[in-house]
Amino acid sequence: MQNPRYQIGDTIVLKRGTFGNFGPSGAGRIVSRMPEADGATQYRVQFEGENFERRVVQPDIDVEASTSKARNIGFAAESRSSSWINLTMITLRKR
């Protein structure tokens, strides 16, 4: 289990070669945090020049090139949220 390092709105840059030749160039903005998969935190990210979102796992993010507004990782960061709705826990299903 990994502690989430980034919050919604943070700017990230992927490690080189993450998506091979089809990888985005430039920075992306975290749109939402997704449930963990195989012990890694996942994010939905919108990259510059793309009109869709990508699923990115935390180990694929270049820590030195990315910016994070989070100081305290974990529950303390989530408790500072002004909304009582936890957007990361909302799931949608097809009908």
Side-chain angles (χ1 to χ4, degrees):
M1 188 166 157
Q2 222 177 22
N3 286 333
R5 177 173 291 188
Y6 301 98
Q7 294 180 342
I8 296 171
D10 286 348
T11 302
I12 62 157
V13 176
L14 293 180
K15 290 180 181 175
R16 192 169 172 89
T18 298
F19 287 106
N21 293 335
F22 302 105
S25 59
R29 185 180 59 84
I30 294 182
V31 177
S32 67
R33 192 170 68 207
M34 300 170 58
E36 288 189 9
D38 298 325
T41 303
Q42 302 182 99
Y43 303 96
R44 293 194 65 75
V45 181
Q46 173 93 40
F47 285 93
E48 297 171 355
E50 294 182 342
N51 60 356
F52 57 92
E53 297 170 357
R54 294 179 184 255
R55 180 188 65 90
V56 174
V57 291
Q58 188 163 303
D60 291 339
I61 298 173
D62 186 355
V63 177
E64 287 82 30
S66 303
T67 59
S68 174
K69 292 181 268 185
R71 290 187 182 171
N72 296 327
I73 307 301
F75 294 113
E78 291 181 16
S79 65
R80 285 184 268 142
S81 173
S82 62
S83 176
W84 58 273
I85 299 174
N86 187 354
L87 298 177
T88 61
M89 300 303 293
I90 297 174
T91 58
L92 300 176
R93 63 183 172 128
K94 292 182 178 180
R95 291 186 181 239

Coordinates of all heavy atoms in Angstrom, one line a residue:
M1 N 0.9 -1.2 0.0 CA 0.0 0.0 0.0 C 0.9 1.2 0.0 O 1.8 1.4 0.8 CB -0.9 0.0 1.2 CG -1.9 1.0 1.2 SD -3.1 0.6 2.5 CE -3.8 2.2 2.8
Q2 N 0.6 2.1 -0.9 CA 1.4 3.3 -1.1 C 0.6 4.6 -0.6 O -0.6 4.7 -0.8 CB 1.7 3.5 -2.6 CG 3.0 3.9 -2.9 CD 3.2 3.9 -4.4 OE1 2.2 4.0 -5.2 NE2 4.4 3.8 -4.9
N3 N 1.3 5.5 0.0 CA 0.7 6.8 0.4 C 0.6 7.6 -0.9 O 1.5 7.8 -1.6 CB 1.5 7.5 1.5 CG 1.3 6.8 2.8 OD1 0.3 6.2 3.1 ND2 2.3 7.0 3.6
P4 N -0.6 8.3 -1.1 CA -0.7 9.2 -2.2 C 0.2 10.4 -2.0 O 0.2 11.0 -1.0 CB -2.2 9.6 -2.3 CG -2.7 9.2 -0.9 CD -1.8 8.2 -0.3
R5 N 1.0 10.7 -3.0 CA 1.9 11.8 -3.0 C 1.4 13.1 -3.6 O 1.8 14.2 -3.3 CB 3.2 11.4 -3.7 CG 4.2 12.5 -3.8 CD 5.5 12.0 -4.4 NE 6.1 11.0 -3.4 CZ 7.3 10.5 -3.5 NH1 8.0 10.7 -4.5 NH2 7.7 9.7 -2.6
Y6 N 0.4 12.9 -4.5 CA -0.1 14.1 -5.2 C -1.6 14.3 -4.9 O -2.3 13.4 -4.6 CB 0.1 13.9 -6.7 CG 1.6 13.7 -7.0 CD1 2.1 12.5 -7.2 CD2 2.4 14.8 -7.1 CE1 3.4 12.3 -7.5 CE2 3.7 14.7 -7.4 CZ 4.3 13.4 -7.6 OH 5.6 13.2 -7.8
Q7 N -2.1 15.5 -5.1 CA -3.5 15.9 -4.9 C -4.0 16.3 -6.3 O -3.3 16.6 -7.2 CB -3.6 17.0 -3.9 CG -3.2 16.7 -2.5 CD -3.3 17.9 -1.6 OE1 -3.4 19.0 -2.1 NE2 -3.4 17.6 -0.3
I8 N -5.3 16.5 -6.3 CA -6.0 17.0 -7.5 C -5.6 18.4 -7.8 O -5.5 19.2 -6.9 CB -7.6 16.9 -7.3 CG1 -8.0 15.5 -7.1 CG2 -8.3 17.6 -8.4 CD1 -9.4 15.3 -6.7
G9 N -5.2 18.6 -9.0 CA -4.7 19.9 -9.4 C -3.2 20.0 -9.5 O -2.7 21.0 -10.1
D10 N -2.5 19.0 -8.9 CA -1.0 19.1 -9.0 C -0.6 18.8 -10.5 O -1.2 18.2 -11.2 CB -0.4 18.0 -8.1 CG -0.5 18.3 -6.6 OD1 -0.8 19.5 -6.3 OD2 -0.2 17.4 -5.8
T11 N 0.6 19.4 -10.8 CA 1.2 19.2 -12.1 C 2.3 18.1 -12.0 O 3.1 18.1 -11.2 CB 1.8 20.5 -12.6 OG1 0.8 21.5 -12.6 CG2 2.4 20.3 -14.0
I12 N 2.2 17.1 -12.9 CA 3.2 16.0 -12.9 C 3.8 15.9 -14.3 O 3.3 16.3 -15.3 CB 2.5 14.7 -12.5 CG1 1.4 14.3 -13.6 CG2 1.9 14.7 -11.2 CD1 1.2 12.8 -13.6
V13 N 5.0 15.2 -14.3 CA 5.7 14.8 -15.5 C 6.0 13.4 -15.4 O 6.4 12.9 -14.3 CB 7.0 15.7 -15.7 CG1 7.8 15.2 -16.9 CG2 6.7 17.1 -15.7
L14 N 5.8 12.6 -16.4 CA 6.0 11.2 -16.4 C 7.5 10.9 -16.6 O 8.2 11.6 -17.2 CB 5.2 10.4 -17.5 CG 3.7 10.5 -17.3 CD1 3.1 9.7 -18.5 CD2 3.3 9.8 -16.0
K15 N 7.9 9.7 -16.1 CA 9.3 9.2 -16.3 C 9.4 8.9 -17.8 O 8.5 8.6 -18.5 CB 9.6 8.0 -15.5 CG 9.7 8.2 -14.0 CD 9.9 7.0 -13.3 CE 10.0 7.2 -11.8 NZ 10.2 6.0 -11.0
R16 N 10.6 9.1 -18.3 CA 10.9 8.9 -19.7 C 10.6 7.4 -20.1 O 10.9 6.5 -19.5 CB 12.3 9.2 -20.0 CG 12.7 9.3 -21.4 CD 14.1 9.9 -21.5 NE 14.6 9.8 -22.9 CZ 14.4 10.8 -23.8 NH1 13.7 11.8 -23.4 NH2 14.8 10.6 -25.0
G17 N 9.8 7.3 -21.2 CA 9.5 5.9 -21.8 C 8.4 5.2 -21.1 O 8.2 4.0 -21.3
T18 N 7.6 5.9 -20.3 CA 6.5 5.3 -19.5 C 5.4 4.6 -20.5 O 5.0 3.5 -20.3 CB 5.8 6.3 -18.6 OG1 6.7 6.7 -17.6 CG2 4.6 5.6 -17.9
F19 N 5.0 5.4 -21.5 CA 4.1 4.9 -22.5 C 4.7 4.5 -23.8 O 4.0 4.4 -24.8 CB 2.9 5.9 -22.7 CG 2.0 6.0 -21.5 CD1 2.0 7.1 -20.7 CD2 1.1 5.0 -21.3 CE1 1.1 7.2 -19.6 CE2 0.2 5.1 -20.2 CZ 0.2 6.2 -19.4
G20 N 6.0 4.4 -23.8 CA 6.7 4.1 -25.1 C 6.6 5.3 -26.1 O 6.7 6.5 -25.7
N21 N 6.4 5.0 -27.3 CA 6.3 6.1 -28.4 C 5.0 6.8 -28.3 O 4.9 7.9 -28.9 CB 6.5 5.4 -29.7 CG 7.9 4.9 -29.9 OD1 8.8 5.4 -29.3 ND2 8.1 3.9 -30.8
F22 N 4.0 6.3 -27.6 CA 2.7 6.9 -27.5 C 2.5 7.8 -26.3 O 1.4 8.2 -26.0 CB 1.6 5.8 -27.6 CG 1.7 5.0 -28.8 CD1 2.2 3.7 -28.7 CD2 1.3 5.5 -30.0 CE1 2.3 2.9 -29.8 CE2 1.4 4.7 -31.1 CZ 1.9 3.4 -31.1
G23 N 3.6 8.0 -25.6 CA 3.5 8.8 -24.3 C 3.3 10.3 -24.6 O 3.7 10.8 -25.7
P24 N 2.7 11.0 -23.6 CA 2.5 12.4 -23.8 C 3.8 13.2 -23.6 O 4.7 12.7 -22.9 CB 1.6 12.7 -22.6 CG 1.9 11.7 -21.6 CD 2.3 10.4 -22.4
S25 N 3.9 14.3 -24.3 CA 5.0 15.2 -24.1 C 4.6 16.4 -23.3 O 3.5 17.0 -23.6 CB 5.6 15.6 -25.5 OG 4.6 16.3 -26.2
G26 N 5.3 16.7 -22.3 CA 4.9 17.8 -21.4 C 4.3 17.4 -20.1 O 4.3 16.2 -19.8
A27 N 3.8 18.4 -19.4 CA 3.2 18.2 -18.1 C 1.7 17.8 -18.2 O 1.1 18.1 -19.2 CB 3.4 19.4 -17.3
G28 N 1.2 17.2 -17.1 CA -0.2 16.9 -17.0 C -0.7 17.4 -15.7 O 0.0 17.6 -14.7
R29 N -2.0 17.5 -15.6 CA -2.7 17.9 -14.4 C -3.5 16.8 -13.8 O -4.3 16.1 -14.6 CB -3.6 19.1 -14.7 CG -4.2 19.7 -13.4 CD -5.1 20.9 -13.8 NE -6.2 20.5 -14.7 CZ -7.4 20.0 -14.3 NH1 -7.6 19.8 -13.0 NH2 -8.3 19.7 -15.2
I30 N -3.4 16.5 -12.5 CA -4.1 15.4 -11.9 C -5.6 15.8 -11.8 O -5.9 16.9 -11.2 CB -3.6 15.0 -10.6 CG1 -2.2 14.4 -10.8 CG2 -4.5 14.1 -9.8 CD1 -1.5 14.0 -9.5
V31 N -6.5 15.0 -12.4 CA -7.9 15.3 -12.4 C -8.6 14.6 -11.2 O -9.4 15.2 -10.5 CB -8.5 14.8 -13.7 CG1 -10.0 15.0 -13.7 CG2 -7.9 15.6 -14.9
S32 N -8.2 13.4 -10.9 CA -8.7 12.7 -9.7 C -7.8 11.6 -9.3 O -6.9 11.2 -10.0 CB -10.1 12.1 -10.1 OG -10.0 11.1 -11.1
R33 N -8.0 11.0 -8.1 CA -7.3 9.9 -7.6 C -8.2 8.7 -7.7 O -9.4 8.7 -7.3 CB -6.8 10.1 -6.2 CG -5.8 9.1 -5.7 CD -5.2 9.5 -4.4 NE -6.2 9.4 -3.4 CZ -6.1 10.1 -2.3 NH1 -5.2 10.9 -2.1 NH2 -7.1 9.9 -1.4
M34 N -7.7 7.6 -8.2 CA -8.4 6.4 -8.4 C -8.1 5.4 -7.3 O -7.1 5.6 -6.6 CB -8.1 5.8 -9.7 CG -8.5 6.7 -10.9 SD -7.8 6.2 -12.5 CE -8.6 4.5 -12.6
P35 N -8.8 4.3 -7.1 CA -8.5 3.3 -6.1 C -7.2 2.6 -6.5 O -6.8 2.6 -7.6 CB -9.6 2.3 -6.3 CG -10.8 3.0 -6.9 CD -10.1 4.0 -7.8
E36 N -6.5 2.1 -5.5 CA -5.2 1.5 -5.7 C -5.4 0.2 -6.5 O -6.4 -0.5 -6.4 CB -4.6 1.1 -4.3 CG -4.1 2.3 -3.6 CD -3.3 1.9 -2.3 OE1 -3.0 0.7 -2.2 OE2 -3.0 2.8 -1.6
A37 N -4.3 -0.1 -7.2 CA -4.2 -1.4 -8.0 C -2.9 -2.0 -7.7 O -1.8 -1.3 -8.0 CB -4.5 -1.1 -9.4
D38 N -2.8 -3.2 -7.3 CA -1.5 -3.9 -7.0 C -0.7 -3.1 -6.0 O 0.6 -3.0 -6.2 CB -0.8 -4.2 -8.3 CG -1.6 -5.1 -9.2 OD1 -2.3 -6.0 -8.7 OD2 -1.5 -5.0 -10.4
G39 N -1.2 -2.4 -5.1 CA -0.5 -1.7 -4.1 C 0.0 -0.3 -4.6 O 0.8 0.4 -3.8
A40 N -0.3 0.1 -5.8 CA 0.2 1.4 -6.3 C -1.0 2.4 -6.4 O -2.1 2.1 -6.9 CB 0.8 1.3 -7.6
T41 N -0.8 3.6 -6.0 CA -1.8 4.7 -6.1 C -1.9 5.1 -7.6 O -1.0 5.2 -8.3 CB -1.4 5.9 -5.3 OG1 -1.2 5.5 -4.0 CG2 -2.5 7.0 -5.4
Q42 N -3.2 5.2 -8.0 CA -3.5 5.6 -9.4 C -4.1 6.9 -9.5 O -4.8 7.3 -8.6 CB -4.4 4.6 -10.1 CG -4.0 3.1 -10.0 CD -5.0 2.3 -10.7 OE1 -4.8 1.9 -11.9 NE2 -6.1 1.9 -10.0
Y43 N -3.8 7.6 -10.6 CA -4.4 9.0 -10.8 C -5.0 9.0 -12.3 O -4.5 8.3 -13.2 CB -3.3 10.0 -10.7 CG -2.6 10.0 -9.4 CD1 -1.4 9.4 -9.2 CD2 -3.2 10.7 -8.3 CE1 -0.7 9.4 -8.0 CE2 -2.5 10.7 -7.1 CZ -1.3 10.1 -6.9 OH -0.7 10.1 -5.7
R44 N -6.0 9.9 -12.5 CA -6.5 10.2 -13.8 C -5.8 11.6 -14.1 O -5.9 12.5 -13.3 CB -8.0 10.3 -13.8 CG -8.6 9.0 -13.6 CD -10.1 9.0 -14.0 NE -10.4 9.2 -15.4 CZ -10.2 8.3 -16.4 NH1 -9.7 7.2 -16.1 NH2 -10.5 8.6 -17.6
V45 N -5.1 11.6 -15.2 CA -4.3 12.8 -15.6 C -4.6 13.3 -17.0 O -4.8 12.5 -17.9 CB -2.8 12.5 -15.5 CG1 -1.9 13.7 -15.8 CG2 -2.4 11.9 -14.2
Q46 N -4.8 14.6 -17.1 CA -5.0 15.3 -18.4 C -3.7 16.0 -18.8 O -3.3 16.8 -18.1 CB -6.2 16.3 -18.3 CG -6.4 17.2 -19.5 CD -7.4 16.6 -20.4 OE1 -8.4 16.1 -19.9 NE2 -7.2 16.7 -21.7
F47 N -3.2 15.6 -19.9 CA -1.9 16.1 -20.4 C -2.1 17.2 -21.4 O -3.2 17.3 -22.0 CB -1.0 15.0 -21.0 CG -0.4 14.1 -20.0 CD1 -1.0 13.0 -19.6 CD2 0.8 14.5 -19.4 CE1 -0.4 12.1 -18.7 CE2 1.4 13.7 -18.4 CZ 0.7 12.5 -18.1
E48 N -1.2 18.2 -21.5 CA -1.3 19.3 -22.4 C -1.4 18.8 -23.8 O -0.7 17.8 -24.2 CB 0.0 20.1 -22.3 CG 0.2 20.8 -20.9 CD 1.6 21.4 -20.8 OE1 2.4 21.3 -21.7 OE2 1.8 22.1 -19.8
G49 N -2.3 19.4 -24.6 CA -2.4 19.0 -26.0 C -3.3 17.7 -26.2 O -3.4 17.3 -27.3
E50 N -3.8 17.2 -25.2 CA -4.7 16.0 -25.3 C -6.1 16.3 -24.8 O -6.3 17.0 -23.9 CB -4.1 14.8 -24.5 CG -2.8 14.3 -25.0 CD -2.2 13.1 -24.2 OE1 -2.7 12.9 -23.1 OE2 -1.3 12.4 -24.8
N51 N -7.1 15.7 -25.5 CA -8.5 15.9 -25.1 C -9.0 14.7 -24.4 O -10.2 14.5 -24.4 CB -9.3 16.3 -26.3 CG -9.3 15.2 -27.4 OD1 -8.6 14.2 -27.3 ND2 -10.0 15.5 -28.4
F52 N -8.2 13.9 -23.8 CA -8.6 12.7 -23.0 C -7.8 12.6 -21.8 O -6.7 13.3 -21.7 CB -8.6 11.5 -23.9 CG -7.2 11.2 -24.4 CD1 -6.3 10.4 -23.7 CD2 -6.8 11.7 -25.7 CE1 -5.1 10.1 -24.3 CE2 -5.6 11.4 -26.2 CZ -4.7 10.6 -25.5
E53 N -8.2 11.8 -20.9 CA -7.4 11.5 -19.6 C -6.8 10.2 -19.7 O -7.3 9.3 -20.3 CB -8.4 11.6 -18.4 CG -9.0 13.0 -18.3 CD -10.1 13.0 -17.2 OE1 -10.4 11.9 -16.7 OE2 -10.7 14.1 -17.0
R54 N -5.6 10.1 -19.0 CA -4.9 8.8 -18.9 C -4.8 8.4 -17.5 O -4.9 9.1 -16.6 CB -3.4 9.0 -19.4 CG -3.3 9.4 -20.9 CD -1.8 9.5 -21.2 NE -1.6 10.0 -22.6 CZ -1.2 9.2 -23.5 NH1 -0.9 7.9 -23.3 NH2 -1.0 9.6 -24.7
R55 N -4.7 7.0 -17.3 CA -4.5 6.4 -16.0 C -3.0 6.3 -15.8 O -2.3 5.7 -16.6 CB -5.2 5.1 -15.9 CG -5.0 4.4 -14.6 CD -5.4 3.0 -14.6 NE -4.6 2.1 -15.5 CZ -3.5 1.5 -15.1 NH1 -3.1 1.6 -13.8 NH2 -2.8 0.7 -15.9
V56 N -2.6 6.9 -14.7 CA -1.1 6.9 -14.4 C -1.0 6.3 -13.0 O -1.7 6.7 -12.1 CB -0.6 8.3 -14.5 CG1 0.9 8.4 -14.0 CG2 -0.7 8.9 -15.9
V57 N 0.0 5.4 -12.8 CA 0.3 4.9 -11.5 C 1.5 5.8 -10.9 O 2.3 6.3 -11.6 CB 0.7 3.4 -11.5 CG1 -0.6 2.6 -11.8 CG2 1.8 3.1 -12.4
Q58 N 1.5 5.9 -9.6 CA 2.5 6.8 -8.9 C 3.9 6.4 -9.2 O 4.7 7.3 -9.4 CB 2.2 6.7 -7.4 CG 3.0 7.7 -6.6 CD 2.5 8.0 -5.2 OE1 1.3 8.3 -5.1 NE2 3.3 7.7 -4.2
P59 N 4.3 5.1 -9.4 CA 5.7 4.9 -9.7 C 6.2 5.4 -11.0 O 7.4 5.5 -11.3 CB 5.8 3.3 -9.6 CG 4.7 2.9 -8.8 CD 3.6 3.9 -9.0
D60 N 5.2 5.7 -11.9 CA 5.6 6.2 -13.3 C 5.8 7.7 -13.3 O 6.1 8.3 -14.3 CB 4.5 5.8 -14.3 CG 4.5 4.3 -14.6 OD1 5.5 3.7 -14.3 OD2 3.4 3.8 -15.0
I61 N 5.6 8.4 -12.2 CA 5.7 9.8 -12.1 C 7.1 10.2 -11.7 O 7.7 9.7 -10.8 CB 4.7 10.4 -11.1 CG1 3.3 10.1 -11.6 CG2 4.9 11.9 -11.0 CD1 2.2 10.5 -10.6
D62 N 7.7 11.2 -12.5 CA 9.0 11.7 -12.2 C 8.9 12.7 -11.0 O 8.4 13.8 -11.2 CB 9.6 12.4 -13.4 CG 11.0 12.9 -13.2 OD1 11.6 12.7 -12.1 OD2 11.6 13.4 -14.2
V63 N 9.4 12.3 -9.9 CA 9.2 13.1 -8.6 C 9.9 14.4 -8.7 O 9.4 15.5 -8.3 CB 9.7 12.3 -7.4 CG1 9.6 13.1 -6.1 CG2 9.0 11.0 -7.3
E64 N 11.1 14.5 -9.3 CA 11.9 15.7 -9.3 C 11.3 16.8 -10.2 O 11.4 18.0 -10.0 CB 13.4 15.5 -9.8 CG 14.2 14.8 -8.7 CD 14.0 13.3 -8.7 OE1 13.7 12.7 -9.7 OE2 14.2 12.7 -7.6
A65 N 10.7 16.3 -11.3 CA 10.1 17.2 -12.3 C 8.6 17.6 -12.0 O 8.1 18.5 -12.6 CB 10.2 16.6 -13.7
S66 N 8.0 17.0 -11.0 CA 6.6 17.2 -10.7 C 6.5 18.1 -9.5 O 7.4 18.1 -8.6 CB 5.9 15.9 -10.5 OG 6.0 15.0 -11.6
T67 N 5.3 18.8 -9.4 CA 5.1 19.6 -8.3 C 3.9 19.1 -7.5 O 3.0 18.6 -8.1 CB 4.7 21.1 -8.7 OG1 3.6 21.1 -9.5 CG2 5.9 21.7 -9.4
S68 N 4.0 19.2 -6.2 CA 2.9 18.8 -5.3 C 2.6 19.8 -4.3 O 3.5 20.4 -3.7 CB 3.3 17.5 -4.6 OG 2.4 17.1 -3.7
K69 N 1.3 20.0 -4.1 CA 0.8 21.0 -3.1 C 0.7 20.3 -1.7 O 0.6 21.0 -0.7 CB -0.5 21.6 -3.5 CG -0.5 22.5 -4.7 CD -1.8 23.0 -5.0 CE -2.5 22.1 -5.9 NZ -3.8 22.5 -6.4
A70 N 0.8 19.0 -1.7 CA 0.6 18.2 -0.4 C 1.9 18.4 0.4 O 3.0 18.2 0.0 CB 0.4 16.8 -0.7
R71 N 1.7 18.7 1.7 CA 2.8 18.7 2.6 C 2.7 17.5 3.5 O 3.7 16.8 3.7 CB 2.7 19.9 3.5 CG 3.1 21.2 2.7 CD 3.2 22.4 3.6 NE 3.4 23.5 2.8 CZ 3.4 24.7 3.3 NH1 3.1 25.0 4.5 NH2 3.7 25.8 2.5
N72 N 1.5 17.2 4.1 CA 1.4 16.0 4.9 C 0.6 15.0 4.1 O -0.5 15.3 3.7 CB 0.6 16.4 6.2 CG 1.3 17.3 7.1 OD1 2.5 17.3 7.1 ND2 0.6 18.2 7.8
I73 N 1.2 13.9 3.9 CA 0.6 12.8 3.1 C -0.3 12.0 4.0 O 0.0 11.7 5.1 CB 1.7 11.9 2.5 CG1 2.7 12.8 1.7 CG2 1.1 10.9 1.6 CD1 2.1 13.6 0.6
G74 N -1.4 11.5 3.4 CA -2.3 10.6 4.2 C -3.6 11.3 4.6 O -4.1 12.1 3.9
F75 N -4.2 10.9 5.7 CA -5.5 11.3 6.1 C -5.5 12.8 6.5 O -6.5 13.5 6.3 CB -6.0 10.5 7.3 CG -6.2 9.1 7.0 CD1 -5.4 8.1 7.5 CD2 -7.3 8.7 6.1 CE1 -5.7 6.8 7.2 CE2 -7.5 7.4 5.8 CZ -6.7 6.4 6.3
A76 N -4.4 13.4 6.9 CA -4.4 14.8 7.3 C -4.6 15.6 6.1 O -5.3 16.7 6.1 CB -3.0 15.1 7.9
A77 N -4.1 15.3 4.9 CA -4.2 16.0 3.7 C -5.7 16.0 3.2 O -6.2 17.0 2.7 CB -3.3 15.5 2.6
E78 N -6.3 14.8 3.4 CA -7.7 14.7 3.0 C -8.7 15.5 3.9 O -9.7 16.0 3.5 CB -8.1 13.2 2.9 CG -7.4 12.5 1.8 CD -7.9 11.1 1.7 OE1 -8.9 10.7 2.3 OE2 -7.2 10.3 1.0
S79 N -8.3 15.6 5.2 CA -9.2 16.2 6.2 C -9.3 17.7 6.0 O -10.2 18.3 6.4 CB -8.8 15.8 7.6 OG -7.5 16.4 7.8
R80 N -8.3 18.3 5.3 CA -8.3 19.7 5.1 C -9.2 20.1 4.0 O -9.4 21.3 3.7 CB -6.9 20.2 4.7 CG -6.0 20.3 6.0 CD -4.7 20.8 5.7 NE -3.8 19.7 5.3 CZ -2.9 19.7 4.4 NH1 -2.7 20.7 3.7 NH2 -2.2 18.6 4.2
S81 N -9.8 19.2 3.3 CA -10.7 19.5 2.2 C -11.9 20.2 2.7 O -12.4 19.9 3.8 CB -11.1 18.2 1.5 OG -12.1 18.4 0.5
S82 N -12.4 21.2 1.9 CA -13.6 22.0 2.4 C -14.9 21.2 2.1 O -15.9 21.6 2.7 CB -13.6 23.3 1.7 OG -13.7 23.1 0.3
S83 N -14.9 20.3 1.2 CA -16.1 19.6 0.9 C -16.3 18.3 1.8 O -15.3 17.7 2.1 CB -16.1 19.1 -0.6 OG -17.2 18.4 -0.9
W84 N -17.5 18.0 2.1 CA -17.8 16.8 2.8 C -17.9 15.6 1.9 O -18.0 14.4 2.4 CB -19.1 16.9 3.7 CG -20.3 17.2 2.8 CD1 -20.7 18.5 2.4 CD2 -21.2 16.3 2.3 NE1 -21.9 18.4 1.7 CE2 -22.2 17.0 1.6 CE3 -21.3 14.9 2.3 CZ2 -23.2 16.4 0.9 CZ3 -22.4 14.3 1.7 CH2 -23.3 15.1 1.0
I85 N -17.9 15.8 0.6 CA -18.0 14.7 -0.3 C -16.6 14.2 -0.7 O -15.7 15.0 -1.1 CB -18.7 15.1 -1.6 CG1 -20.1 15.5 -1.3 CG2 -18.7 14.0 -2.7 CD1 -20.9 16.1 -2.5
N86 N -16.3 12.9 -0.6 CA -15.0 12.4 -0.9 C -15.1 11.9 -2.4 O -15.6 10.8 -2.7 CB -14.6 11.2 0.0 CG -13.2 10.7 -0.3 OD1 -12.6 11.1 -1.2 ND2 -12.8 9.8 0.6
L87 N -14.6 12.7 -3.3 CA -14.7 12.4 -4.8 C -14.0 11.2 -5.2 O -14.3 10.6 -6.2 CB -14.3 13.7 -5.6 CG -15.1 14.9 -5.3 CD1 -14.5 16.1 -6.1 CD2 -16.5 14.7 -5.7
T88 N -13.0 10.8 -4.5 CA -12.2 9.6 -4.8 C -13.0 8.3 -4.6 O -12.6 7.3 -5.1 CB -10.9 9.6 -4.1 OG1 -11.1 9.5 -2.7 CG2 -10.0 10.8 -4.5
M89 N -14.0 8.4 -3.8 CA -14.8 7.2 -3.4 C -16.1 7.0 -4.3 O -16.7 6.0 -4.2 CB -15.2 7.2 -2.0 CG -14.0 7.3 -1.0 SD -12.8 5.9 -1.2 CE -13.8 4.6 -0.7
I90 N -16.3 7.9 -5.2 CA -17.5 7.8 -6.0 C -17.2 6.9 -7.2 O -16.2 7.0 -7.9 CB -17.9 9.2 -6.6 CG1 -18.3 10.1 -5.4 CG2 -19.1 9.1 -7.6 CD1 -18.6 11.5 -5.8
T91 N -18.1 5.9 -7.4 CA -18.0 5.0 -8.5 C -19.2 5.1 -9.4 O -20.3 5.3 -8.9 CB -17.8 3.6 -8.1 OG1 -18.9 3.2 -7.3 CG2 -16.5 3.4 -7.3
L92 N -19.0 4.9 -10.7 CA -20.1 4.9 -11.6 C -20.2 3.6 -12.3 O -19.3 2.9 -12.5 CB -19.9 6.0 -12.7 CG -19.7 7.4 -12.2 CD1 -19.4 8.3 -13.3 CD2 -21.0 7.9 -11.5
R93 N -21.4 3.2 -12.6 CA -21.6 1.9 -13.3 C -22.5 2.2 -14.5 O -23.3 3.0 -14.6 CB -22.2 0.9 -12.4 CG -23.6 1.2 -11.9 CD -24.1 0.2 -11.0 NE -25.4 0.7 -10.4 CZ -26.5 0.0 -10.4 NH1 -26.5 -1.2 -10.9 NH2 -27.6 0.5 -9.9
K94 N -22.3 1.3 -15.5 CA -23.1 1.4 -16.7 C -24.4 0.8 -16.5 O -24.6 -0.1 -15.8 CB -22.4 0.7 -17.9 CG -21.1 1.4 -18.3 CD -20.5 0.7 -19.5 CE -19.3 1.4 -19.9 NZ -18.7 0.7 -21.1
R95 N -25.4 1.3 -17.2 CA -26.8 0.7 -17.1 C -27.1 0.0 -18.4 O -26.7 0.3 -19.4 CB -27.8 1.8 -16.8 CG -27.6 2.4 -15.5 CD -28.7 3.4 -15.2 NE -28.5 3.9 -13.9 CZ -29.4 3.8 -12.9 NH1 -30.5 3.2 -13.1 NH2 -29.2 4.4 -11.8

